Amino acid sequence: MRLTKYTDLALRAVMRLAVVGDGELLTTREISEAMRVPYTHMAKGIAHLQRLGVVEARRGRNGGLALTDVGRRTGVGELVRALEGDREVVTCEGDTPCPLAGGCRLRRALRSAQDAFYTSLDQFVVEDLVAAPTGGVLLSLGSPHS
C-alpha cells in the first residue's frame, strides 16, 4: 500500500504539531519550511486537518496552529482513512475497463490487504508516532521564531 503525498504531508504536519510545547503555536509556513515542502501543498493538508477537527487555527497577531486534544488521540488508521478517502487499490473501470472485471478475484484480495493495512495502523494514535527518538528529530527540524 502506498500513501499519497498529500496524506504523507498531512501526517508530517500532525507529527510536528504534536511535539510543540503547551501554548506554542506554529504557522503553516513554519511547518512547510521544516518539512521542506511547498507551502501550498502543506496548506491544503492543514485545511483538511482542520475540517477533521485534528488541528485548530488561531487567528491574529499571535495566531498559529495547534493540535487539538482529539488530534492527539486520533487513531492513525482513522486519520489515514480520512485523508486517503475510500479509494480502491486498483481501478477496474474507466476508459479501458479491465477484461477480467467480471470474474477476477484480485480486486477482493487487494481490498482485503488494504483493510489489513489500515487495521495495522489502528493500533497507533498520533502521540505514539512522536515517541522517542522521533519527537527530538521533529523538534530539531525548526522551532517557531528561530
Side-chain angles (χ1 to χ4, degrees):
M1 176 82 201
R2 184 178 175 116
L3 298 179
T4 61
K5 187 71 170 174
Y6 178 81
T7 298
D8 175 43
L9 294 179
L11 288 172
R12 287 195 250 170
V14 166
M15 292 170 65
R16 181 62 182 95
L17 289 168
V19 296
V20 298
D22 286 338
E24 195 174 349
L25 303 176
L26 295 175
T27 65
T28 302
R29 186 154 315 278
E30 288 169 334
I31 296 170
S32 68
E33 288 172 0
M35 297 299 162
R36 299 183 183 117
V37 298
Y39 170 83
T40 55
H41 290 65
M42 187 59 74
K44 289 177 187 174
I46 294 290
H48 194 163
L49 293 168
Q50 285 179 264
R51 287 191 303 276
L52 294 172
V54 173
V55 171
E56 174 188 16
R58 299 179 190 154
R59 297 194 181 275
R61 183 174 168 198
N62 296 318
L65 304 168
L67 194 62
T68 64
D69 289 336
V70 169
R72 290 186 188 286
R73 294 186 313 269
T74 296
V76 176
E78 176 186 349
L79 188 54
V80 171
R81 282 181 191 91
L83 292 165
E84 287 286 309
D86 192 27
R87 296 181 308 114
E88 293 281 339
V89 176
V90 295
T91 305
C92 300
E93 296 83 27
D95 293 341
T96 310
C98 176
L100 302 175
C104 182
R105 297 176 61 134
L106 177 62
R107 188 175 191 177
R108 182 182 306 150
L110 291 173
R111 180 54 135 176
S112 178
Q114 182 180 31
D115 291 342
F117 173 77
Y118 287 136
T119 299
S120 70
L121 292 175
D122 286 336
Q123 66 184 316
F124 302 100
V125 295
V126 169
E127 287 187 326
D128 295 330
L129 299 179
V130 297
T134 306
V137 172
L138 286 161
L139 287 170
S140 73
L141 294 178
S143 58
H145 318 296
S146 58

